[in-house]
Amino acid sequence: MVALKSVVHFSIPVSDVERSTRFYTEIVGCRHLATVAGGTMAFLDAAGTCLILVKREPPINRTPENHGGVHHSFAVADYPAALDHLRTRDVEITFEEDRQGGVVNGPRAYFHDPDGTVLEFIDLTSYAGTP
């Protein structure tokens, strides 16, 4: 069996790398590392995990009203402040709940990036995968 150490990076398709870099740095809280390949890829740091924004032709999310559970989740240090930050930046919170008793637990709020990709801020109270 393979012994994983961590997630090194994940990629999110975007229609406009510059616009999405601003969103992921100013709204989500990532740190910009580099933009490469003629502006078609941006490397961001998301609390120690690399997030790569990759240019793709729109529409990115063909069915934004039915994401089927596909999303990217970011644990935040101050959940109420993170939601206030979204609201003051006019980012719509599409759904909010406090899920407990499952695999990934805690209050969470969902919102969209500029291309309709579903994102989540969570106040992670427990995770079944923690030793």
Side-chain angles (χ1 to χ4, degrees):
M1 180 171 175
V2 175
L4 293 179
K5 290 173 38 177
S6 68
V7 173
V8 175
H9 68 80
F10 63 99
S11 301
I12 295 177
V14 300
S15 61
D16 182 323
V17 172
E18 185 177 337
R19 176 185 68 179
S20 292
T21 297
R22 280 193 309 276
F23 182 86
Y24 280 89
T25 57
E26 296 173 8
I27 304 296
V28 177
C30 297
R31 183 171 51 95
H32 181 256
L33 301 173
T35 300
V36 300
T40 62
M41 295 177 73
F43 289 79
L44 309 177
D45 177 70
T49 299
C50 184
L51 168 87
I52 306 170
L53 303 176
V54 182
K55 169 89 169 118
R56 290 290 180 263
E57 293 304 314
I60 301 300
N61 185 359
R62 296 184 191 282
T63 57
E65 68 284 349
N66 182 16
H67 59 83
V70 175
H71 66 282
H72 303 286
S73 183
F74 299 88
V76 294
D78 186 340
Y79 182 73
L83 297 193
D84 287 345
H85 178 72
L86 292 176
R87 290 181 182 111
T88 61
R89 302 286 187 136
D90 295 322
V91 175
E92 179 187 4
I93 296 171
T94 59
F95 182 70
E96 190 175 356
E97 68 177 343
D98 185 356
R99 193 178 311 154
Q100 300 294 332
V103 175
V104 179
N105 298 296
R108 71 219 36 225
Y110 298 87
F111 57 102
H112 295 95
D113 79 358
D115 287 298
T117 299
V118 179
L119 305 176
E120 173 189 78
F121 277 166
I122 183 170
D123 181 6
L124 188 63
T125 57
S126 67
Y127 168 54
T130 302

